[in-house]
Amino acid sequence: MIRRIQLLLAVLLLALTPAAVAQDASFIVSDIRVEGLQRISAGSVFAAMPLAVGDLVNAQAIRAASRSLFATGNFDDIRIGRDGNVLVIIVVERPSISEINIRGNKAIETEALLEGLSGAGLAVGQVFQRSTLEGMQLELQRQYVQQGRYDANIETEVLPEPRNRVNVSIDVDEGTVATIEHINIVGNEVYSDEELTDLFELKTGGLLSFISSNNKYSREKLTGDLESLSSYYLDRGYLEFTIDSTQVSVSPDKRSVYITANVTEGEKFTVSGVELSGDLVLPESDLKRYILVSEEQTFSQQLVTSTEEFLTRRLGNEGYNFANVTGIPEVNDDDNTVALKFFIDPGKRTYVRRITFEGNQKTADEVLRREMRQMEAAPASASAIEQSRIRLERLGYFSKATVDTPEVPGYDDLIDVDFSVEEQSSGSIGASLGFAQDAGLIFGLNLQQDNFLGTGKRIGLGFNSSRYQDVYNLSYTNPYYTEDGVSRGFSVFYRSTDLSEINVASYTTDTMGASLNFGYPIKETQRLGFSFGVSNTDITAGRFAVQEIIASPRLIPGVDTFYESTRLPDGTFAAPEVPRPLEQLPQGALTMPSEPGFLDRNGSEFLNWTTSISWNQSTLNRGILATRGASQSLVFEVAVPGSDTEFYKLVYQGERFFPITNEWIFRLRTKIGYGDGYGDTTNLPFFEHFFSGGFGSVRGFESNTLGPRSTPADLYTISQPVTEIDENGEPIEVGGSDGRLVGYVLNPETGKLEFDTVRSRSDPFGGNALFEGGVELLFPLPFLKDRSKLRSAFFVDVGNVFNTKCSSNQVNCFDIDADELRYSVGVGVTWITGFGPMSFSLAKPLNESDQDEREVFQFTLGRSF
């Protein structure tokens, strides 16, 4: 308050001084004094003034100085006067904005509103101008009107604060979006109102309007609908179609909208001729292949536009990146025909000066550069540049890759090609520590890195250990073993499994092996692969090994006596006779197995030399979580003649994406496999079987649990404790110190050794034929801006594993049969984390059998779907 009084007195002093500038007396400025400044420095005032000490000042100069200071926008009032030869400037600063509060907005985000205010000059720390606030208030009101919120209201309040600051409050009442009551098209005769309004995104109210909100008016949507209407006619030959006017009427309560479009259809035109003109830098026969319009065809603006794009792209592939192709129609109203002439202006042929990369913090430039199909100093090819970008995304190292082709300053025939990539996790690391009742302590460590140290080389290392299994593996692949893209890799593994520890198909395996593989590019999107491997598998059948592995019933090693006895009703045995050696068994006492097991036929140790040939084709847009394109592979593996087991396997796998919109996409996938033995090996070895169920297969079922199951072993019965009654009527056991008689039981009634089926659950055994498939609808999750690292999908999975050579008494075994396919539906999510892909799914099996094992919720780390 005191400062304002001082400022008022100073103004009054200037007005009363006899040397005031108002007397229009010129003088030489000896000094300049500025009063009234609070936030703005005196230097800023001097910099904005056209006057300085020593200048001759008159009334005209004073007016010019005043205008310059007002132009800064920092002052509400400026007074300039004279005190002797001192120029006195008294200013009243505009307040600064200390805070902006916006309340009530939902349709337009607060960040967007603040950004718009800042662009207009209203932001915290800036000078407050009420005219700007009022202009923004009107503009915001217009934006809500464009959204159909005609009853929206914007109220502003400016509250003064100490130190010449203000607090700006904006209260928004967004109102309600007006609904469309009627859409009327006037002037149409060829097509009905219903047919034309079906083209519109805007609709009148329907049953699902509360979900789609398609009956809510929006000026942007109406503009798009009118463009769709115009395109509909132009693509069907109505070259002179026009939309004469559009009326949008609002009801008095501002809640209903009525839309009317007045159109003139005109006549339908056909094409009388098509020709090329201009500078045809390529052979005319070559360019004509890209013309989609033909003579006597109904005129279509879409085909004209597509032809322009194709011709431009074709010229761009030859280095004419700034070519311009224009379709010029020559209309003949007499016979309703149009002659089309495509005028070609190729411009100068452009060359690439330099190719640069940005965003590859870890990956070496060399890894990106070897994917380039556009070379430096070569003509700039649009297709080669785009193919280079796609190849970068297919690597799987980057979530996205973009390219820019700026012109080189000072040249009209040179461009630079600048690639920008965004790196993502290209591997996975997983460790596990746990305890399971059947497996005991479980420890696992797995490392898979597809871009090891940024070199583009793939390295995998794994170690998993539990009570029943130890697995070690090491793999390495160099995708560019040679400069022309020949890959080379190897893998080494050792696996020791003792399934008798968990009472499952009792056998143990010790397998070690190694393989060497090569890959050769045969086309831009196709490769051939060759692999050579050797493995040695030693299988030891345990006491409870299932019948598919070793036939049963069978004698137990170490038991060499038998007793002739009779089983009593209570399950015990009558007092046996004296034990006798097995050599004295009566003829026919042993029950012979119905058929031999795999080890009975082929032995228990297998040294196999295998070779495989594979073919791969991929047009996917990304290496991980692709959304466009297709891929397929065919692998044929065979154990070469002379191996201990002779077999072959053929596997086909493919997937394809069908975009519905930019974010809603159909994905189809399939996997088909078949294998069998040949030569002396009659069946596919059981340790080479296919399995089905779980992620990448049929979700909703436990991993690898579908299809044929093993047959529990039949074991000859070892005699149980024998019970007798003593003189006191008490039961006593007759036998050794442990109360058990060691020996087999011979039933005198049947003359055969008695045996029992091992009471264990039938476990998955796999088969030699596999069919799996799936349909997925990929959909965007809301509230996520970057969806390149996350995929969500509704899915239907189908599949099972079959066996064309089931044993006679195998459980749940069936030949290839469509009725045995299993189905499931559900929803799944994959997220690319720093540790690799993390996937979740909720699935419901639709036709499970009693033998199938269901699993509604499934989770995996290191694998995507």
Side-chain angles (χ1 to χ4, degrees), residues 631-653:
S631 72
Q632 54 183 339
S633 65
L634 186 65
V635 181
F636 178 70
E637 178 186 8
V638 60
V640 300
S643 298
D644 290 340
T645 55
E646 297 171 329
F647 66 90
Y648 65 88
K649 295 173 72 174
L650 182 65
V651 179
Y652 172 82
Q653 196 164 359

Side-chain angles (χ1 to χ4, degrees), residues 340-397:
L340 281 172
K341 180 181 296 184
F342 290 95
F343 181 80
I344 297 176
D345 177 15
K348 279 191 175 183
R349 195 175 193 184
T350 54
Y351 294 81
V352 174
R353 182 187 69 165
R354 184 183 298 116
I355 298 176
T356 62
F357 304 99
E358 184 182 59
N360 53 317
Q361 303 296 325
K362 180 180 68 174
T363 308
D365 273 14
E366 176 190 358
V367 176
L368 282 73
R369 194 167 295 278
R370 66 193 183 192
E371 300 297 330
M372 294 297 100
R373 294 300 178 259
Q374 172 66 59
M375 299 293 107
E376 293 178 342
S381 170
S383 62
I385 293 173
E386 177 61 14
Q387 185 63 29
S388 300
R389 186 195 67 80
I390 292 175
R391 288 181 66 88
L392 291 179
E393 287 195 337
R394 286 179 185 163
L395 287 174
Y397 311 157

Side-chain angles (χ1 to χ4, degrees), residues 2-190:
I2 296 175
R3 188 172 183 84
R4 291 184 177 179
I5 295 174
Q6 292 174 343
L7 182 61
L8 183 61
L9 292 175
V11 171
L12 183 61
L13 179 63
L14 283 176
L16 298 176
T17 179
V21 180
Q23 295 177 358
D24 201 22
S26 300
F27 68 98
I28 303 296
V29 177
S30 62
D31 193 12
I32 299 177
R33 187 169 72 245
V34 181
E35 297 181 0
L37 295 177
Q38 299 183 51
R39 295 176 296 99
I40 301 172
S41 65
S44 300
V45 176
F46 295 147
M49 283 185 54
L51 295 175
V53 174
D55 290 348
L56 178 64
V57 175
N58 53 28
Q60 183 177 359
I62 293 298
R63 287 193 294 270
S66 179
R67 284 193 297 268
S68 297
L69 290 177
F70 269 118
T72 64
N74 293 325
F75 307 107
D76 272 335
D77 191 22
I78 299 172
R79 299 291 182 93
I80 302 178
R82 173 182 177 185
D83 184 7
N85 289 333
V86 177
L87 187 66
V88 180
I89 303 173
I90 302 174
V91 298
V92 178
E93 290 184 358
R94 285 179 174 168
S96 65
I97 301 174
S98 63
E99 188 177 3
I100 299 178
N101 295 312
I102 304 177
R103 295 183 296 268
N105 58 303
K106 293 181 180 179
I108 303 178
E109 295 181 355
T110 300
E111 291 76 9
L113 291 176
L114 290 174
E115 184 177 350
L117 291 171
S118 178
L122 287 176
V124 174
Q126 292 186 352
V127 173
F128 172 72
Q129 299 186 54
R130 184 169 293 277
S131 60
T132 303
L133 178 62
E134 293 173 353
M136 284 301 300
Q137 183 178 359
L138 294 175
E139 176 60 28
L140 187 58
Q141 188 89 34
R142 282 194 294 269
Q143 289 186 27
Y144 278 111
V145 168
Q146 290 178 2
Q147 294 184 1
R149 299 175 182 270
Y150 293 99
D151 55 347
N153 185 43
I154 313 296
E155 297 289 344
T156 62
E157 185 179 9
V158 180
L159 302 175
E161 292 185 347
R163 293 184 293 132
N164 199 26
R165 298 184 305 164
V166 294
N167 184 316
V168 179
S169 296
I170 302 176
D171 291 316
V172 180
D173 180 7
E174 294 183 330
T176 57
V177 179
T179 57
I180 300 172
E181 294 297 326
H182 185 66
I183 300 176
N184 186 32
I185 300 177
V186 179
N188 56 307
E189 296 179 359
V190 179

Side-chain angles (χ1 to χ4, degrees), residues 142-270:
R142 282 194 294 269
Q143 289 186 27
Y144 278 111
V145 168
Q146 290 178 2
Q147 294 184 1
R149 299 175 182 270
Y150 293 99
D151 55 347
N153 185 43
I154 313 296
E155 297 289 344
T156 62
E157 185 179 9
V158 180
L159 302 175
E161 292 185 347
R163 293 184 293 132
N164 199 26
R165 298 184 305 164
V166 294
N167 184 316
V168 179
S169 296
I170 302 176
D171 291 316
V172 180
D173 180 7
E174 294 183 330
T176 57
V177 179
T179 57
I180 300 172
E181 294 297 326
H182 185 66
I183 300 176
N184 186 32
I185 300 177
V186 179
N188 56 307
E189 296 179 359
V190 179
Y191 301 108
S192 65
D193 288 356
E194 292 77 13
E195 189 172 359
L196 296 180
T197 54
D198 282 344
L199 303 173
F200 284 26
E201 183 179 356
L202 295 176
K203 306 286 184 182
T204 55
L207 291 177
L208 299 178
S209 293
F210 73 97
I211 297 176
S212 62
S213 298
N214 56 3
N215 65 334
K216 302 297 180 63
Y217 173 75
S218 167
R219 180 179 296 182
E220 290 81 2
K221 290 183 180 180
L222 178 59
T223 301
D225 288 342
L226 295 177
E227 291 178 357
S228 299
L229 178 63
S230 180
S231 298
Y232 187 78
Y233 273 94
L234 291 175
D235 294 341
R236 286 158 179 77
Y238 294 91
L239 184 60
E240 297 178 341
F241 172 82
T242 59
I243 299 176
D244 301 321
S245 63
T246 305
Q247 293 88 37
V248 179
S249 304
V250 183
S251 63
D253 61 2
K254 298 183 179 181
R255 293 181 178 273
S256 301
V257 173
Y258 302 85
I259 301 173
T260 302
N262 298 280
V263 302
T264 299
E265 293 178 324
E267 299 295 331
K268 189 174 184 178
F269 286 79
T270 57

